[in-house]
Amino acid sequence: MTQQPQEGFEGSVEDAREWMKAVQERLQINDNTQGPRAALEARLRETEKICQLEPEGRVKVDLVLQAAEARLAGCPEDQKPAVLARLRDIKAQWEETVTYMIHCHSRIEWVWLHWSEYLLARDEFYRWFQKMTVALAPPVELQLGLKEKQWQLGQAQVLLHDVSHQAVLLDRLLEEAASLFHRIGDPSVDEDAQRTMKAEYEAVKARAQDRVDLLEQVTQEHERFQADMDELQLWLQAVVAKVNGCVGRSCSLPAGRRLSALQVTGLCPRRAAREPAQVRVYVTGSRGQGRCRPPRPQVPREEKRGIWWRMFGASAASRKPLNQQGIWKPRATAAWSRPGVLHGSLSG
């Protein structure tokens, strides 16, 4: 009777040890996260199968416990410590095996999930990258009005803000890639792949910044041009009002004082002819580049004198030479007594 419980105990202990040894060997083969994603996924499936064998191992350990109880019940007192020691070894080995199973499978599963999340984030980043590349592909329209240019500038600033916001996602991606490369060593997340991703982002950011800079320059030039044109129009309106007040039909000044009134207001044509032109008109070229139209060339003094003689109705025979100061003084004619004549000449 004593021989049978002893053989049953020894057999159950040996069977449990062989089973746990085989499981640990399989775990050691698959306890590795290095390599491509397909290999990692295969190891994940294998460790999952090993974890599913835990109930089988627990049954074998329970058989050892039952055999140990029978052995302890029929063995002498001096043999019980040896039986209890072997029983403790089996329990410790079983706990170690279960812990190894859970740890190995969990580590591989964590790396696989980490890699999956990284791939999803990377795909999202490249979808954004393609979308931004398409948005920045069309050339900037320069032959537009001021409002359209301001709208283009606003859109470009929105794109640049979006690019700057993606820098946070890129930093996280690079950190995840570095962490994964340390665990898996796959070329898809190595340092070259990280540098390529960062270079592509910097290229898109530079294009967005250049677009904003160009549109800011064009818009500011157009705004300055528009402000100059508005100022010029106001000045011209003031000039027309003053000229009409001096030589128009509603002017109440005597004929002899009208030229003096023009000289006082600074609008005398003779004075304006001696001063260089100060107004420059901004012209938009075929490529949107601004240039200034050169001032009108100076009219020779003799030609000016002829123009004024024709305006005041004087004949060529009555012309007088220039005085000592080099200023020709026309003779007042009947044209001054007819306000409509001079007004029509200036306004025409």
Side-chain angles (χ1 to χ4, degrees):
M1 295 294 294
T2 305
Q3 187 70 22
Q4 187 175 1
Q6 182 177 359
E7 292 178 355
F9 175 71
E10 294 293 340
S12 61
V13 169
E14 190 65 25
D15 187 26
R17 283 180 174 176
E18 290 295 332
W19 184 90
M20 287 185 286
K21 181 180 178 181
V23 168
Q24 290 182 0
E25 288 177 353
R26 291 176 63 183
L27 289 173
Q28 289 175 358
I29 294 174
N30 293 278
D31 189 11
N32 182 19
T33 59
Q34 298 289 320
R37 183 173 172 82
L40 182 66
E41 188 173 358
R43 288 192 289 269
L44 177 63
R45 290 195 299 267
E46 183 65 20
T47 55
E48 186 177 0
K49 292 178 181 179
I50 294 174
C51 290
Q52 292 174 356
L53 298 176
E54 181 184 357
E56 180 181 348
R58 190 172 297 278
V59 170
K60 293 184 179 296
V61 173
D62 291 340
L63 292 176
V64 172
L65 294 176
Q66 293 176 5
E69 290 178 359
R71 179 74 177 94
L72 290 173
C75 70
E77 291 295 331
D78 58 343
Q79 295 181 1
K80 289 183 179 181
V83 174
L84 293 175
R86 296 185 66 183
L87 185 60
R88 286 194 297 269
D89 291 342
I90 290 296
K91 289 182 178 180
Q93 189 175 359
W94 168 247
E95 293 295 334
E96 180 182 354
T97 302
V98 172
T99 302
Y100 191 15
M101 291 167 60
I102 296 174
H103 174 74
C104 181
H105 177 69
S106 299
R107 190 162 69 95
I108 295 175
E109 185 180 26
W110 183 87
V111 174
W112 186 81
L113 292 175
H114 190 189
W115 199 346
S116 300
E117 292 176 357
Y118 167 78
L119 292 177
L120 290 176
R122 190 189 66 177
D123 293 342
E124 181 181 356
F125 173 79
Y126 275 108
R127 283 194 298 270
W128 168 86
F129 178 81
Q130 294 295 333
K131 180 180 178 181
M132 188 60 60
T133 302
V134 172
L136 295 174
V140 176
E141 290 289 340
L142 300 178
Q143 302 295 332
L144 297 174
L146 179 57
K147 291 184 178 180
E148 289 78 5
K149 289 179 180 177
Q150 291 173 342
W151 181 85
Q152 275 196 128
L153 176 59
Q155 293 297 109
Q157 290 173 341
V158 170
L159 293 179
L160 180 60
H161 178 73
D162 189 10
V163 172
S164 301
H165 181 70
Q166 289 294 323
V168 179
L169 175 60
L170 177 64
D171 292 339
R172 289 203 302 265
L173 280 176
L174 295 177
E175 291 178 1
E176 295 293 333
S179 177
L180 277 174
F181 182 67
H182 178 70
R183 289 180 171 86
I184 64 178
D186 191 73
S188 63
V189 290
D190 61 1
E191 294 181 356
D192 291 338
Q194 297 173 34
R195 283 193 294 268
T196 300
M197 188 182 302
K198 187 173 181 62
E200 291 173 344
Y201 170 79
E202 293 296 337
V204 169
K205 184 177 180 180
R207 291 180 60 185
Q209 185 65 55
D210 293 343
R211 193 181 188 91
V212 170
D213 293 342
L214 175 60
L215 286 171
E216 282 182 347
Q217 179 183 359
V218 172
T219 304
Q220 290 173 1
E221 289 179 354
H222 201 144
E223 289 174 348
R224 288 194 297 268
F225 162 71
Q226 189 64 43
D228 293 341
M229 288 298 298
D230 294 341
E231 183 179 357
L232 177 61
Q233 289 179 358
L234 292 176
W235 179 81
L236 289 175
Q237 292 174 1
V239 168
V240 171
K242 290 181 180 180
V243 170
N244 289 334
C246 294
V247 298
R249 296 181 180 275
S250 60
C251 179
S252 60
L253 295 175
R257 296 184 57 187
R258 295 185 180 185
L259 182 59
S260 299
L262 287 175
Q263 292 175 342
V264 171
T265 57
L267 299 175
C268 179
R270 183 176 59 191
R271 179 179 177 181
R274 293 200 306 267
E275 297 178 353
Q278 299 295 330
V279 180
R280 295 182 177 181
V281 179
Y282 182 87
V283 181
T284 302
S286 59
R287 297 186 179 180
Q289 299 177 352
R291 64 179 185 271
C292 293
R293 181 177 296 172
R296 182 178 297 177
Q298 298 293 332
V299 181
R301 183 174 299 173
E302 292 296 331
E303 185 176 349
K304 296 178 189 175
R305 185 175 62 180
I307 293 173
W308 277 99
W309 272 103
R310 287 193 297 273
M311 289 178 61
F312 294 120
S315 62
S318 62
R319 297 177 185 175
K320 294 183 179 181
L322 301 177
N323 58 13
Q324 295 179 356
Q325 288 77 19
I327 300 176
W328 171 74
K329 296 182 179 180
R331 179 185 301 173
T333 62
W336 290 102
S337 61
R338 293 181 295 167
V341 175
L342 183 57
H343 175 71
S345 301
L346 292 178
S347 61

